[in-house]
Amino acid sequence: MSYLEATQDLYKEAALTPDVGLCCTTNPIWQFPGLSIPKIMQEMNYGCGSTVSAQDLVNNPNILYVGVGGGMELLQFSYFSRQKGGVIGVDSVGEMLEASRKNFKIAEEENDWFNSEYVNLVKGDALNLPVEDESIDVAAQNCLFNIFKIEDLKKAVSEMYRVLKPYGRLVMSDPICEQPMSEELRNDDRLRALCLSGSIPLKDYIKVLTDAGFGTIEIRGKRSYRVLSPNHYPTDELIHIESIEIAAIKDPMPEDGPCVFTGKTAIYFGNEEYFDDKKGHVLQQNQPLAVCDKTAAALANASDEIYISESTYHYNGGGCC
């Protein structure tokens, strides 16, 4: 049995018998005015964060969500795209699709604005999406891509890039791990399917995204997810796994490389009213400006009167690059 088959079996079980503790139990359950999320959707919320952000969801966007879970984030996305087929949910597990259909009927009873026709559920594979080129404004996945081995991860990301419109965005929540893992952990198909042993370092994840062509990367959140301890797993040391919320924007790749925002700011503290590096970056006196890592390094080299903060791994937009 391959790791992909093990994943299929695991989530078939999770569809037939909801497993509240399968993934992260500290997921944010965003409640918007007039939105009621059925209890069963919360119980089947097999993610490690949230991909739903109002800043991405304007003007009734076409949304793609891969790996439907119990349908919670599909419902949340529908809140912002109230049109027939405005949200496409793709999953390779037929039982999970059927569970979501049933859950949407409950959601219709709890939300007078919601219609199941807002969501088009499609059986399909993240490695070969049944979606047209450049047809999607916002694509999302939650705690799925970390399961893929590197070549499959590259394929899944390239598929998301293919279906996105120019300047569309891929919004994800996924576990990452900065520590090395043993081959025994990496090759355990069930642990990989459980989102425990497939996590890679953040810089490697970002490289997969930028290699696919995404010109801007935003790290929007970072938090603890799990630990793999020697008394429970085949490891000699405690391994800390974190989850990130990240957006990759399909804008042109800058000549000097991608813009990666990790929550750094630049503050000018010299004696002039402002600092202008003549390259499009103007810093007002003692006012923090969000900057990408590339710009942060350039400004640090340009003046010793600019303070560059450490990465917070929480970036909410704005600033310059």
Side-chain angles (χ1 to χ4, degrees), residues 281-292:
H281 311 113
V282 178
L283 279 69
Q284 301 297 323
Q285 170 67 233
N286 207 25
Q287 296 295 313
L289 180 71
V291 290
C292 73

Side-chain angles (χ1 to χ4, degrees), residues 59 64 79 84 93-94 113 130 151 173 192 204 208 219 227 232 237 255 262 265 272 281 286 294 301-302 309:
N59 299 322
L64 168 67
Y79 183 88
K84 184 176 181 179
V93 181
W113 60 268
E151 291 306 316
S173 182
R192 184 175 282 272
D204 294 345
V208 171
I219 310 300
V227 293
H232 291 294
E237 63 175 355
E255 291 184 3
T262 62
T265 56
E272 303 299 324
H281 311 113
N286 207 25
K294 179 178 61 179
N301 289 329
S309 72

Side-chain angles (χ1 to χ4, degrees), residues 14-33:
L16 297 174
T17 306
D19 186 349
V20 177
L22 179 62
C23 231
C24 191
T25 56
T26 56
N27 256 23
I29 309 295
W30 301 127
Q31 298 280 8
F32 302 107

